[in-house]
Amino acid sequence: WPPSWARSTRAYYLLSLVIAGAGILAIRVIIAAPFGYALRATRDSRQRAEAVGLVVERIRWLAFALSGMFAGLAGGLWAHLRGSVFPTTLGVSQSVDALVMVMLGGLGAVEGPVIGASLYHLLQTELLRDAAHWRLVLGMAIVALVLMFPGGIAGTLIARQRPTAAPVGPS
């Protein structure tokens, strides 16, 4: 274990890239499907969703199951990478790191957390590995990025690409 074709670092990287890419593509398809619109409807107004005939609890349970499936897929990749998983893997610092990654990337796009995770990894491992007080520098960099991009990096880029609405009313 693992199989001989997946033992090299390159093969595992490519396998992970394909699986993660397929997961992101699947999420995009789900969001664009009627189920994605039903999810948004139940998020925005439970009463309105129920009034149009949506079964809110069923939709939310299915969303919970789908999120668990994608989290399990990510956990499987992590376990395969490390060889084992211990309870300390789910410590508070890991949870905070995940939240920071999502904040950096933004919630406005499916790719936002991927961008945030990439940026966080770049800041943490590549730029700050020789700094004496790397946690302080990392924290200041994160605060600066959140102030510069309040909607996250992906959210800010999406907002900039949207055309501005024309003024309504008499001119």
Side-chain angles (χ1 to χ4, degrees):
W1 187 86
S4 59
W5 62 269
R7 285 193 183 137
S8 75
T9 305
R10 180 183 170 102
Y12 180 73
Y13 172 77
L14 291 174
L15 175 68
S16 298
L17 186 63
V18 166
I19 290 173
I24 290 172
L25 182 62
I27 291 171
R28 282 202 154 280
V29 168
I30 290 169
I31 288 171
F35 177 70
Y37 288 104
L39 277 173
R40 278 175 261 189
T42 60
R43 178 197 64 196
D44 293 343
S45 174
R46 179 186 182 112
Q47 291 84 9
R48 192 176 301 158
E50 287 173 344
V52 297
L54 296 176
V55 183
V56 173
E57 292 305 317
R58 185 183 313 154
I59 292 169
R60 288 185 178 177
W61 274 107
L62 186 54
F64 181 73
L66 283 171
S67 67
M69 181 189 76
F70 286 113
L73 180 64
L77 289 173
W78 175 266
H80 184 69
L81 173 68
R82 300 293 181 195
S84 62
V85 178
F86 296 101
T88 56
T89 304
L90 250 53
V92 173
S93 64
Q94 291 292 98
S95 299
V96 170
D97 289 349
L99 287 173
V100 168
M101 291 174 195
V102 170
M103 284 182 0
L104 284 177
L107 295 171
V110 174
E111 297 82 6
V114 175
I115 293 169
S118 301
L119 181 63
Y120 184 79
H121 176 73
L122 178 73
L123 285 171
Q124 186 178 20
T125 59
E126 302 301 324
L127 299 177
L128 302 175
R129 71 176 116 178
D130 295 328
H133 300 288
W134 67 272
R135 289 184 193 270
L136 175 66
V137 176
L138 179 64
M140 289 178 7
I142 289 169
V143 167
L145 283 168
V146 168
L147 289 174
M148 290 185 332
F149 303 103
I153 293 171
T156 303
L157 292 175
I158 288 172
R160 285 184 184 166
Q161 289 177 353
R162 287 187 189 134
T164 56
V168 178
S171 41

